[in-house]
Amino acid sequence: MKDVDDKFLKNIDKEFPLREELRPRTVTTPDGQEIEIEPLKDYFCEAAPKVHPKAYIPIVENFYNWARANSLWILGFGTGCGAIEMRPLMTPRFDAYRYGIQWRPTPRQANLLMISGYLSVKTLKRAVRAYEQMQGPKYVVGLGSCTINGGMYWDSYNTIKKLDQYLPVDLYIAGCMPRPEALLAGFMDLKKLIKAGKCEGANKYAENFAFYKENQKSVIKDWDMPDYNW
């Protein structure tokens, strides 16, 4: 098993040079013991994502989907200019909380990732990592024209076009940028899709994991992390 682990680390290091803090090393504990630390193996799970089957009977699955649709917790991670459009939704004028929508600070607490506007290659790396750390079932919404075709940055060397080639997008909200009313309308459409059992982006990501990972690595040149960042 140790030989397999060493080969795994060497292959990563050869293809994508590791930062110093990610390299295996020996550390001394407060009580004087020396232990081996392998960050890529100790801090992450190497298991690939799995497809989660539906509930055993339709009525139970329908109830689950109803509950999921009315409990959308958005990861507070603004990737671009569209992030500013989400702030008014917290105010009394729009009051997204009445629809069961709220913002959470960590991926473990969230089930909806909003890619809010343009997404650079550098930010894509963080978005992938955040998405893979979210609990399932989880959803992705692309906000604005930039997530669809690059928007005004369509000819930029450093901006992601066609977000669904890198993450499983469940819904796009078009515009540059969409107003808060458009976001609410998009959330209502997302709720309908979830209740109908059609938001299977997380399972799609698991089924086509190799496809997404190949696309991600084709643009992220400093891939110094495991393939799955659970």
mmCIF file of all heavy atoms in Angstrom, residues 38-75:
data_model
loop_
_atom_site.group_PDB
_atom_site.id
_atom_site.type_symbol
_atom_site.label_atom_id
_atom_site.label_comp_id
_atom_site.label_asym_id
_atom_site.label_seq_id
_atom_site.Cartn_x
_atom_site.Cartn_y
_atom_site.Cartn_z
ATOM 1 N N GLU A 38 1.709 13.617 5.529
ATOM 2 C CA GLU A 38 1.520 13.659 4.083
ATOM 3 C C GLU A 38 0.239 14.462 3.818
ATOM 4 O O GLU A 38 -0.852 13.892 3.816
ATOM 5 C CB GLU A 38 1.423 12.260 3.487
ATOM 6 C CG GLU A 38 2.703 11.447 3.614
ATOM 7 C CD GLU A 38 2.601 10.105 2.917
ATOM 8 O OE1 GLU A 38 1.596 9.894 2.186
ATOM 9 O OE2 GLU A 38 3.502 9.281 3.086
ATOM 10 N N PRO A 39 0.343 15.764 3.619
ATOM 11 C CA PRO A 39 -0.851 16.620 3.528
ATOM 12 C C PRO A 39 -1.896 16.148 2.520
ATOM 13 O O PRO A 39 -3.101 16.180 2.815
ATOM 14 C CB PRO A 39 -0.265 17.978 3.125
ATOM 15 C CG PRO A 39 1.114 17.953 3.689
ATOM 16 C CD PRO A 39 1.584 16.544 3.537
ATOM 17 N N LEU A 40 -1.466 15.718 1.345
ATOM 18 C CA LEU A 40 -2.442 15.327 0.328
ATOM 19 C C LEU A 40 -3.231 14.093 0.748
ATOM 20 O O LEU A 40 -4.358 13.879 0.283
ATOM 21 C CB LEU A 40 -1.744 15.074 -1.006
ATOM 22 C CG LEU A 40 -1.293 16.315 -1.771
ATOM 23 C CD1 LEU A 40 -0.591 15.921 -3.061
ATOM 24 C CD2 LEU A 40 -2.467 17.222 -2.081
ATOM 25 N N LYS A 41 -2.654 13.270 1.602
ATOM 26 C CA LYS A 41 -3.348 12.070 2.026
ATOM 27 C C LYS A 41 -4.026 12.248 3.381
ATOM 28 O O LYS A 41 -5.038 11.630 3.666
ATOM 29 C CB LYS A 41 -2.378 10.888 2.077
ATOM 30 C CG LYS A 41 -1.739 10.572 0.736
ATOM 31 C CD LYS A 41 -0.924 9.315 0.786
ATOM 32 C CE LYS A 41 -1.780 8.096 1.061
ATOM 33 N NZ LYS A 41 -2.790 7.882 0.023
ATOM 34 N N ASP A 42 -3.434 13.101 4.235
ATOM 35 C CA ASP A 42 -3.976 13.281 5.578
ATOM 36 C C ASP A 42 -5.131 14.274 5.618
ATOM 37 O O ASP A 42 -5.996 14.192 6.489
ATOM 38 C CB ASP A 42 -2.880 13.749 6.532
ATOM 39 C CG ASP A 42 -1.776 12.700 6.697
ATOM 40 O OD1 ASP A 42 -2.052 11.512 6.426
ATOM 41 O OD2 ASP A 42 -0.645 13.064 7.071
ATOM 42 N N TYR A 43 -5.137 15.231 4.702
ATOM 43 C CA TYR A 43 -6.131 16.305 4.754
ATOM 44 C C TYR A 43 -7.283 16.102 3.784
ATOM 45 O O TYR A 43 -8.255 16.845 3.826
ATOM 46 C CB TYR A 43 -5.477 17.658 4.458
ATOM 47 C CG TYR A 43 -4.342 18.018 5.376
ATOM 48 C CD1 TYR A 43 -3.389 18.943 4.996
ATOM 49 C CD2 TYR A 43 -4.212 17.443 6.641
ATOM 50 C CE1 TYR A 43 -2.329 19.276 5.836
ATOM 51 C CE2 TYR A 43 -3.172 17.761 7.483
ATOM 52 C CZ TYR A 43 -2.233 18.681 7.076
ATOM 53 O OH TYR A 43 -1.194 19.012 7.899
ATOM 54 N N PHE A 44 -7.170 15.132 2.871
ATOM 55 C CA PHE A 44 -8.201 14.932 1.862
ATOM 56 C C PHE A 44 -8.591 13.464 1.779
ATOM 57 O O PHE A 44 -7.851 12.587 2.201
ATOM 58 C CB PHE A 44 -7.716 15.388 0.471
ATOM 59 C CG PHE A 44 -7.359 16.836 0.393
ATOM 60 C CD1 PHE A 44 -6.048 17.259 0.568
ATOM 61 C CD2 PHE A 44 -8.324 17.789 0.142
ATOM 62 C CE1 PHE A 44 -5.704 18.597 0.497
ATOM 63 C CE2 PHE A 44 -7.994 19.129 0.065
ATOM 64 C CZ PHE A 44 -6.687 19.532 0.243
ATOM 65 N N CYS A 45 -9.759 13.230 1.219
ATOM 66 C CA CYS A 45 -10.214 11.867 0.947
ATOM 67 C C CYS A 45 -9.999 11.567 -0.533
ATOM 68 O O CYS A 45 -10.381 12.355 -1.393
ATOM 69 C CB CYS A 45 -11.695 11.728 1.305
ATOM 70 S SG CYS A 45 -12.409 10.135 0.867
ATOM 71 N N GLU A 46 -9.381 10.437 -0.828
ATOM 72 C CA GLU A 46 -9.076 10.100 -2.223
ATOM 73 C C GLU A 46 -10.237 9.435 -2.944
ATOM 74 O O GLU A 46 -10.187 9.249 -4.158
ATOM 75 C CB GLU A 46 -7.854 9.180 -2.272
ATOM 76 C CG GLU A 46 -6.574 9.820 -1.790
ATOM 77 C CD GLU A 46 -5.416 8.852 -1.817
ATOM 78 O OE1 GLU A 46 -5.522 7.842 -2.545
ATOM 79 O OE2 GLU A 46 -4.423 9.083 -1.131
ATOM 80 N N ALA A 47 -11.277 9.040 -2.212
ATOM 81 C CA ALA A 47 -12.400 8.350 -2.845
ATOM 82 C C ALA A 47 -13.114 9.277 -3.817
ATOM 83 O O ALA A 47 -13.310 10.463 -3.550
ATOM 84 C CB ALA A 47 -13.375 7.868 -1.779
ATOM 85 N N ALA A 48 -13.487 8.738 -4.963
ATOM 86 C CA ALA A 48 -14.203 9.520 -5.970
ATOM 87 C C ALA A 48 -15.653 9.722 -5.539
ATOM 88 O O ALA A 48 -16.176 8.966 -4.712
ATOM 89 C CB ALA A 48 -14.146 8.807 -7.315
ATOM 90 N N PRO A 49 -16.336 10.740 -6.069
ATOM 91 C CA PRO A 49 -17.749 10.947 -5.712
ATOM 92 C C PRO A 49 -18.620 9.791 -6.188
ATOM 93 O O PRO A 49 -18.310 9.138 -7.192
ATOM 94 C CB PRO A 49 -18.098 12.254 -6.437
ATOM 95 C CG PRO A 49 -17.125 12.339 -7.562
ATOM 96 C CD PRO A 49 -15.850 11.732 -7.046
ATOM 97 N N LYS A 50 -19.694 9.557 -5.469
ATOM 98 C CA LYS A 50 -20.601 8.463 -5.793
ATOM 99 C C LYS A 50 -21.982 9.000 -6.147
ATOM 100 O O LYS A 50 -22.392 10.049 -5.660
ATOM 101 C CB LYS A 50 -20.718 7.498 -4.605
ATOM 102 C CG LYS A 50 -19.415 6.804 -4.234
ATOM 103 C CD LYS A 50 -19.617 5.864 -3.050
ATOM 104 C CE LYS A 50 -18.316 5.163 -2.671
ATOM 105 N NZ LYS A 50 -18.506 4.267 -1.499
ATOM 106 N N VAL A 51 -22.668 8.249 -6.987
ATOM 107 C CA VAL A 51 -24.046 8.590 -7.345
ATOM 108 C C VAL A 51 -24.962 8.203 -6.189
ATOM 109 O O VAL A 51 -24.898 7.094 -5.670
ATOM 110 C CB VAL A 51 -24.477 7.849 -8.628
ATOM 111 C CG1 VAL A 51 -25.950 8.109 -8.919
ATOM 112 C CG2 VAL A 51 -23.612 8.277 -9.799
ATOM 113 N N HIS A 52 -25.793 9.143 -5.768
ATOM 114 C CA HIS A 52 -26.727 8.871 -4.686
ATOM 115 C C HIS A 52 -28.082 8.484 -5.285
ATOM 116 O O HIS A 52 -28.708 9.293 -5.976
ATOM 117 C CB HIS A 52 -26.883 10.096 -3.789
ATOM 118 C CG HIS A 52 -25.648 10.398 -2.998
ATOM 119 N ND1 HIS A 52 -25.380 9.805 -1.789
ATOM 120 C CD2 HIS A 52 -24.603 11.214 -3.253
ATOM 121 C CE1 HIS A 52 -24.230 10.246 -1.322
ATOM 122 N NE2 HIS A 52 -23.732 11.107 -2.197
ATOM 123 N N PRO A 53 -28.541 7.276 -5.037
ATOM 124 C CA PRO A 53 -29.824 6.831 -5.621
ATOM 125 C C PRO A 53 -30.999 7.550 -4.974
ATOM 126 O O PRO A 53 -30.905 8.091 -3.865
ATOM 127 C CB PRO A 53 -29.844 5.331 -5.294
ATOM 128 C CG PRO A 53 -28.996 5.204 -4.065
ATOM 129 C CD PRO A 53 -27.913 6.241 -4.204
ATOM 130 N N LYS A 54 -32.118 7.522 -5.666
ATOM 131 C CA LYS A 54 -33.339 8.114 -5.145
ATOM 132 C C LYS A 54 -33.892 7.261 -4.008
ATOM 133 O O LYS A 54 -33.475 6.117 -3.802
ATOM 134 C CB LYS A 54 -34.379 8.257 -6.260
ATOM 135 C CG LYS A 54 -33.968 9.205 -7.382
ATOM 136 C CD LYS A 54 -35.053 9.318 -8.430
ATOM 137 C CE LYS A 54 -34.645 10.210 -9.583
ATOM 138 N NZ LYS A 54 -34.438 11.603 -9.144
ATOM 139 N N ALA A 55 -34.830 7.811 -3.276
ATOM 140 C CA ALA A 55 -35.474 7.078 -2.184
ATOM 141 C C ALA A 55 -36.211 5.864 -2.727
ATOM 142 O O ALA A 55 -36.555 5.786 -3.921
ATOM 143 C CB ALA A 55 -36.432 7.985 -1.426
ATOM 144 N N TYR A 56 -36.477 4.911 -1.845
ATOM 145 C CA TYR A 56 -37.034 3.626 -2.259
ATOM 146 C C TYR A 56 -38.457 3.716 -2.809
ATOM 147 O O TYR A 56 -38.881 2.874 -3.596
ATOM 148 C CB TYR A 56 -36.979 2.635 -1.094
ATOM 149 C CG TYR A 56 -37.531 3.173 0.200
ATOM 150 C CD1 TYR A 56 -38.855 2.955 0.556
ATOM 151 C CD2 TYR A 56 -36.732 3.897 1.074
ATOM 152 C CE1 TYR A 56 -39.371 3.448 1.737
ATOM 153 C CE2 TYR A 56 -37.237 4.385 2.260
ATOM 154 C CZ TYR A 56 -38.560 4.171 2.594
ATOM 155 O OH TYR A 56 -39.062 4.670 3.766
ATOM 156 N N ILE A 57 -39.240 4.726 -2.396
ATOM 157 C CA ILE A 57 -40.585 4.894 -2.960
ATOM 158 C C ILE A 57 -40.755 6.356 -3.382
ATOM 159 O O ILE A 57 -40.217 7.263 -2.739
ATOM 160 C CB ILE A 57 -41.700 4.479 -1.974
ATOM 161 C CG1 ILE A 57 -41.546 5.195 -0.628
ATOM 162 C CG2 ILE A 57 -41.722 2.978 -1.773
ATOM 163 C CD1 ILE A 57 -42.652 4.884 0.352
ATOM 164 N N PRO A 58 -41.499 6.606 -4.465
ATOM 165 C CA PRO A 58 -41.633 7.969 -5.006
ATOM 166 C C PRO A 58 -42.149 8.990 -4.004
ATOM 167 O O PRO A 58 -41.695 10.134 -3.993
ATOM 168 C CB PRO A 58 -42.617 7.782 -6.168
ATOM 169 C CG PRO A 58 -42.452 6.361 -6.577
ATOM 170 C CD PRO A 58 -42.170 5.608 -5.317
ATOM 171 N N ILE A 59 -43.110 8.619 -3.147
ATOM 172 C CA ILE A 59 -43.686 9.606 -2.238
ATOM 173 C C ILE A 59 -42.632 10.140 -1.256
ATOM 174 O O ILE A 59 -42.657 11.313 -0.876
ATOM 175 C CB ILE A 59 -44.902 9.007 -1.483
ATOM 176 C CG1 ILE A 59 -45.652 10.119 -0.744
ATOM 177 C CG2 ILE A 59 -44.462 7.909 -0.522
ATOM 178 C CD1 ILE A 59 -46.965 9.658 -0.139
ATOM 179 N N VAL A 60 -41.708 9.279 -0.872
ATOM 180 C CA VAL A 60 -40.626 9.711 0.030
ATOM 181 C C VAL A 60 -39.670 10.640 -0.706
ATOM 182 O O VAL A 60 -39.256 11.683 -0.185
ATOM 183 C CB VAL A 60 -39.875 8.495 0.605
ATOM 184 C CG1 VAL A 60 -38.669 8.947 1.428
ATOM 185 C CG2 VAL A 60 -40.815 7.638 1.448
ATOM 186 N N GLU A 61 -39.323 10.286 -1.930
ATOM 187 C CA GLU A 61 -38.431 11.130 -2.721
ATOM 188 C C GLU A 61 -39.080 12.485 -3.002
ATOM 189 O O GLU A 61 -38.404 13.522 -2.965
ATOM 190 C CB GLU A 61 -38.082 10.426 -4.038
ATOM 191 C CG GLU A 61 -37.124 11.197 -4.947
ATOM 192 C CD GLU A 61 -35.732 11.368 -4.369
ATOM 193 O OE1 GLU A 61 -35.371 10.602 -3.447
ATOM 194 O OE2 GLU A 61 -35.003 12.266 -4.827
ATOM 195 N N ASN A 62 -40.368 12.495 -3.271
ATOM 196 C CA ASN A 62 -41.075 13.761 -3.490
ATOM 197 C C ASN A 62 -41.039 14.647 -2.251
ATOM 198 O O ASN A 62 -40.892 15.869 -2.348
ATOM 199 C CB ASN A 62 -42.525 13.487 -3.890
ATOM 200 C CG ASN A 62 -42.636 12.867 -5.270
ATOM 201 O OD1 ASN A 62 -41.716 12.979 -6.087
ATOM 202 N ND2 ASN A 62 -43.740 12.202 -5.536
ATOM 203 N N PHE A 63 -41.165 14.024 -1.091
ATOM 204 C CA PHE A 63 -41.092 14.783 0.161
ATOM 205 C C PHE A 63 -39.680 15.353 0.351
ATOM 206 O O PHE A 63 -39.510 16.521 0.729
ATOM 207 C CB PHE A 63 -41.459 13.891 1.345
ATOM 208 C CG PHE A 63 -41.241 14.559 2.678
ATOM 209 C CD1 PHE A 63 -42.097 15.559 3.118
ATOM 210 C CD2 PHE A 63 -40.163 14.201 3.475
ATOM 211 C CE1 PHE A 63 -41.888 16.189 4.340
ATOM 212 C CE2 PHE A 63 -39.950 14.824 4.691
ATOM 213 C CZ PHE A 63 -40.813 15.814 5.133
ATOM 214 N N TYR A 64 -38.671 14.525 0.074
ATOM 215 C CA TYR A 64 -37.287 15.004 0.171
ATOM 216 C C TYR A 64 -37.063 16.198 -0.752
ATOM 217 O O TYR A 64 -36.458 17.204 -0.365
ATOM 218 C CB TYR A 64 -36.317 13.886 -0.197
ATOM 219 C CG TYR A 64 -36.173 12.791 0.831
ATOM 220 C CD1 TYR A 64 -35.522 11.594 0.526
ATOM 221 C CD2 TYR A 64 -36.682 12.945 2.121
ATOM 222 C CE1 TYR A 64 -35.379 10.587 1.458
ATOM 223 C CE2 TYR A 64 -36.550 11.934 3.058
ATOM 224 C CZ TYR A 64 -35.896 10.764 2.723
ATOM 225 O OH TYR A 64 -35.764 9.767 3.654
ATOM 226 N N ASN A 65 -37.538 16.083 -1.988
ATOM 227 C CA ASN A 65 -37.335 17.174 -2.955
ATOM 228 C C ASN A 65 -38.077 18.437 -2.542
ATOM 229 O O ASN A 65 -37.589 19.555 -2.762
ATOM 230 C CB ASN A 65 -37.791 16.724 -4.346
ATOM 231 C CG ASN A 65 -36.831 15.725 -4.975
ATOM 232 O OD1 ASN A 65 -35.639 15.703 -4.648
ATOM 233 N ND2 ASN A 65 -37.336 14.904 -5.877
ATOM 234 N N TRP A 66 -39.252 18.283 -1.950
ATOM 235 C CA TRP A 66 -39.977 19.446 -1.437
ATOM 236 C C TRP A 66 -39.169 20.148 -0.356
ATOM 237 O O TRP A 66 -39.038 21.374 -0.334
ATOM 238 C CB TRP A 66 -41.337 19.004 -0.891
ATOM 239 C CG TRP A 66 -42.061 20.096 -0.157
ATOM 240 C CD1 TRP A 66 -42.854 21.073 -0.695
ATOM 241 C CD2 TRP A 66 -42.038 20.329 1.262
ATOM 242 N NE1 TRP A 66 -43.325 21.905 0.297
ATOM 243 C CE2 TRP A 66 -42.845 21.471 1.509
ATOM 244 C CE3 TRP A 66 -41.425 19.687 2.334
ATOM 245 C CZ2 TRP A 66 -43.038 21.971 2.794
ATOM 246 C CZ3 TRP A 66 -41.622 20.192 3.613
ATOM 247 C CH2 TRP A 66 -42.419 21.323 3.824
ATOM 248 N N ALA A 67 -38.606 19.361 0.555
ATOM 249 C CA ALA A 67 -37.802 19.925 1.639
ATOM 250 C C ALA A 67 -36.542 20.594 1.096
ATOM 251 O O ALA A 67 -36.155 21.682 1.531
ATOM 252 C CB ALA A 67 -37.443 18.838 2.644
ATOM 253 N N ARG A 68 -35.897 19.963 0.119
ATOM 254 C CA ARG A 68 -34.677 20.531 -0.464
ATOM 255 C C ARG A 68 -34.975 21.845 -1.174
ATOM 256 O O ARG A 68 -34.202 22.797 -1.088
ATOM 257 C CB ARG A 68 -34.068 19.528 -1.453
ATOM 258 C CG ARG A 68 -33.515 18.275 -0.809
ATOM 259 C CD ARG A 68 -33.334 17.154 -1.817
ATOM 260 N NE ARG A 68 -32.873 15.919 -1.188
ATOM 261 C CZ ARG A 68 -32.960 14.718 -1.740
ATOM 262 N NH1 ARG A 68 -33.534 14.585 -2.952
ATOM 263 N NH2 ARG A 68 -32.507 13.651 -1.100
ATOM 264 N N ALA A 69 -36.098 21.882 -1.888
ATOM 265 C CA ALA A 69 -36.446 23.097 -2.637
ATOM 266 C C ALA A 69 -36.716 24.270 -1.712
ATOM 267 O O ALA A 69 -36.512 25.430 -2.095
ATOM 268 C CB ALA A 69 -37.661 22.836 -3.523
ATOM 269 N N ASN A 70 -37.181 23.990 -0.506
ATOM 270 C CA ASN A 70 -37.512 25.064 0.431
ATOM 271 C C ASN A 70 -36.410 25.297 1.459
ATOM 272 O O ASN A 70 -36.647 25.919 2.500
ATOM 273 C CB ASN A 70 -38.826 24.738 1.142
ATOM 274 C CG ASN A 70 -40.015 24.859 0.212
ATOM 275 O OD1 ASN A 70 -40.450 25.960 -0.115
ATOM 276 N ND2 ASN A 70 -40.530 23.735 -0.243
ATOM 277 N N SER A 71 -35.222 24.798 1.158
ATOM 278 C CA SER A 71 -34.087 25.006 2.057
ATOM 279 C C SER A 71 -32.828 25.169 1.206
ATOM 280 O O SER A 71 -31.951 24.304 1.187
ATOM 281 C CB SER A 71 -33.939 23.826 3.026
ATOM 282 O OG SER A 71 -32.878 24.046 3.913
ATOM 283 N N LEU A 72 -32.755 26.283 0.493
ATOM 284 C CA LEU A 72 -31.598 26.572 -0.359
ATOM 285 C C LEU A 72 -30.611 27.431 0.423
ATOM 286 O O LEU A 72 -30.886 28.587 0.719
ATOM 287 C CB LEU A 72 -32.045 27.292 -1.635
ATOM 288 C CG LEU A 72 -32.933 26.481 -2.582
ATOM 289 C CD1 LEU A 72 -33.365 27.340 -3.760
ATOM 290 C CD2 LEU A 72 -32.216 25.232 -3.065
ATOM 291 N N TRP A 73 -29.493 26.848 0.759
ATOM 292 C CA TRP A 73 -28.458 27.549 1.515
ATOM 293 C C TRP A 73 -27.291 27.830 0.582
ATOM 294 O O TRP A 73 -26.601 26.909 0.137
ATOM 295 C CB TRP A 73 -28.025 26.714 2.723
ATOM 296 C CG TRP A 73 -29.082 26.650 3.787
ATOM 297 C CD1 TRP A 73 -30.406 26.953 3.637
ATOM 298 C CD2 TRP A 73 -28.905 26.253 5.150
ATOM 299 N NE1 TRP A 73 -31.068 26.770 4.822
ATOM 300 C CE2 TRP A 73 -30.187 26.337 5.771
ATOM 301 C CE3 TRP A 73 -27.823 25.826 5.897
ATOM 302 C CZ2 TRP A 73 -30.379 26.021 7.103
ATOM 303 C CZ3 TRP A 73 -28.021 25.512 7.226
ATOM 304 C CH2 TRP A 73 -29.272 25.613 7.819
ATOM 305 N N ILE A 74 -27.086 29.092 0.309
ATOM 306 C CA ILE A 74 -26.102 29.519 -0.686
ATOM 307 C C ILE A 74 -24.742 29.709 -0.029
ATOM 308 O O ILE A 74 -24.631 30.345 1.029
ATOM 309 C CB ILE A 74 -26.538 30.835 -1.352
ATOM 310 C CG1 ILE A 74 -27.928 30.674 -1.982
ATOM 311 C CG2 ILE A 74 -25.533 31.273 -2.404
ATOM 312 C CD1 ILE A 74 -28.515 31.971 -2.507
ATOM 313 N N LEU A 75 -23.718 29.184 -0.657
ATOM 314 C CA LEU A 75 -22.359 29.409 -0.169
ATOM 315 C C LEU A 75 -21.973 30.863 -0.444
ATOM 316 O O LEU A 75 -22.050 31.328 -1.586
ATOM 317 C CB LEU A 75 -21.373 28.464 -0.867
ATOM 318 C CG LEU A 75 -19.894 28.645 -0.493
ATOM 319 C CD1 LEU A 75 -19.689 28.416 0.999
ATOM 320 C CD2 LEU A 75 -19.019 27.706 -1.303
#
